[in-house]
């Protein structure tokens, strides 16, 4: 299959691409030009939850569903740059099957982490358990390169609320983090008993050791950098000061709704944009995708989404001054993604935001032959 440019929107010369077509066919078409050049791939495929949504069908059944993913994942991996990472949204129904399949394709050594996203905050009373979270599996082309290049989180308002000052420390607000680590790579000097200022003795939990050796720990206790809880009887924890954390925070693996939004908020956002239209059923919140892109890329880097849906990844990549490629097979590419992206580009333009690549080309199947 060949594709050709059918429209362009925005300013000057743009390299961003929105491509209408089946993702595997499009990826094969793009491979020679983009192999090894994409810094972040985010995908949010159908979850195999047996639903027929207004805009797409998710009722193929397990065998067809996993086969499609097993076909697309190796292709996607080829697009990754050396520091590139691949982020896959999925829910509890298939996460374990997908993880095993993806491990086979990428190799377990390329698995980075599973992120838990609190995708709803209300309680779902119709089921045995109220399902409040989804997963994002993260793989990297080269986990060491990814670790070196990934960005720290900018401490925003929601993260800042975690810093408090219960002991009136003159150095300002702080949060406590665990003082023990897995003992797999530990040295002997990390195993000892900490004696708290009130005399209480603390040993590391089974299979764990203290993060510092004894001398360093004594020093940290002396400098009031270790927290033993309000009454002094708590398990020792390390105080991390907001002043240090302003440089950025290591991303954690639980992403709370208050930080990155919920599915409902994402739907409400789309409803506002498309007042008279049936709302897209399964959008991701822009804040969630923003966090992924901010961790994994810098300005000018290339982001790819092969299941573009309502266009969230393209909109956010555009706002963050990243280059992007979005692929979507459904007709909603034309009546949801494009108007949404156009509006976002117009807003950025009227705000005078400095963005190099403000706009996109729409590519569609070339049926002229
Ligand atoms: C869960 S939605 C993605 C939602 C998106 N993350 C958002 O924020 O709007 C999955 C999308 O993948 C698209 N899709 C499914 N199979 C596809 C294929 N073979 N090629 C391209 N797109 C596909 C569906 O049409 C649907 O829009």
């Amino acid at each position: 299959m060949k594709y050709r440019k059918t429209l362009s929107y925005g300013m000057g010369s743009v390299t961003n691409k929105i491509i209408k077509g089946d993702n595997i066919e499009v990826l094969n078409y793009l491979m020679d030009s983009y192999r090894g050049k994409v810094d972040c791939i985010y995908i949010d495929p159908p979850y195999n939850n047996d639903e027929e949504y207004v805009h797409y069908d998710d009722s193929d059944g397990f065998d067809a569903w996993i086969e499609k993913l097993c076909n697309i994942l190796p292709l996607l991996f080829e697009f990754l740059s050396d520091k590139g990472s691949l982020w896959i949204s999925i829910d509890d129904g298939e996460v374990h099957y997908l993880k095993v399949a993806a491990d086979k394709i990428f190799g377990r050594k390329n698995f980075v982490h599973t992120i838990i996203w609190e995708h709803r905050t209300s309680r779902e009373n119709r089921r045995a358990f109220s399902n409040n979270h989804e997963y994002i599996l993260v793989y990297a082309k080269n986990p060491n390169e990814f670790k070196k290049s990934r960005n720290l989180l900018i401490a925003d308002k929601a993260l800042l609320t975690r810093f408090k000052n219960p002991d009136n420390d003159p150095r300002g607000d702080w949060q406590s983090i665990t003082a023990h680590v897995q003992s797999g790579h530990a040295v002997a000097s990390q195993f000892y008993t900490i004696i708290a200022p009130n005399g209480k003795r603390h040993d590391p939990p089974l299979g764990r050791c203290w993060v510092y050796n004894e001398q360093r720990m004594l020093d940290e206790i002396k400098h009031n950098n270790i927290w033993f809880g309000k009454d002094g009887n708590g398990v020792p924890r390390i105080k991390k000061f907001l002043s240090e954390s302003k440089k950025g925070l290591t991303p954690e693996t639980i992403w709370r709704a208050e930080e990155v939004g919920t599915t409902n908020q994402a739907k409400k956002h789309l409803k506002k944009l498309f007042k008279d239209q049936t709302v897209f059923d399964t959008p991701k919140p822009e804040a969630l995708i923003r966090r992924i892109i901010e961790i994994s890329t810098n300005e000018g880097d290339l982001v790819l989404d092969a299941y573009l849906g309502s266009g969230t990844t393209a909109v956010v990549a555009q706002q963050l001054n990243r280059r992007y490629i979005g692929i979507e097979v459904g007709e909603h590419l034309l009546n949801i993604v494009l108007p949404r992206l156009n509006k976002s580009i117009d807003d950025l333009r009227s705000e005078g935001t400095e963005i190099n690549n403000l706009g996109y080309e729409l590519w569609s199947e070339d049926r002229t032959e």
Side-chain angles (χ1 to χ4, degrees), residues 166-167 169 171 174-180 192 194-198 200 202 210-230 232-241 244:
D167 61 347
D169 193 309
R171 292 166 291 182
W174 52 270
Q175 69 170 341
S176 72
I177 61 167
T178 175
H180 49 73
Y192 53 92
I194 294 178
I195 300 174
N198 70 358
K200 187 165 176 176
H202 299 273
W210 300 118
V211 67
Y212 304 135
N213 67 26
E214 190 165 13
Q215 189 49 53
R216 166 98 189 261
M217 186 61 85
L218 288 171
D219 259 22
E220 299 288 338
I221 293 173
K222 193 168 125 199
H223 291 106
N224 188 25
N225 290 333
I226 303 296
W227 174 241
F228 292 92
K230 265 204 158 140
N233 286 319
V235 175
R237 291 175 65 82
I238 296 170
K239 287 163 77 176
K240 271 263 170 223
F241 288 90
E244 301 158 26

Side-chain angles (χ1 to χ4, degrees), residues 20 37 96 120 131 141 214 241 243 249 252 323 360 369:
K20 184 164 188 315
K37 293 194 176 151
H96 305 96
R120 68 182 289 161
N131 175 22
K141 183 71 164 245
E214 190 165 13
F241 288 90
S243 48
L249 304 170
E252 291 176 329
R323 294 173 297 129
Y360 63 88
E369 282 173 13

Side-chain angles (χ1 to χ4, degrees), residues 21-24 42-47 55-57 68 270 280 282-285 289 305-313 327-330 332 340:
D22 173 76
N23 45 25
I24 293 192
Y42 171 71
I43 60 167
D44 179 15
Y47 285 0
H55 297 97
Y56 68 97
D57 184 19
K68 278 187 192 163
L270 283 188
F280 189 79
T282 57
K284 291 292 182 279
I289 306 300
D305 185 338
Y307 296 84
L308 194 57
S310 65
T312 315
T313 307
I327 307 169
E328 172 57 55
V329 73
H332 51 281
R340 180 178 179 192

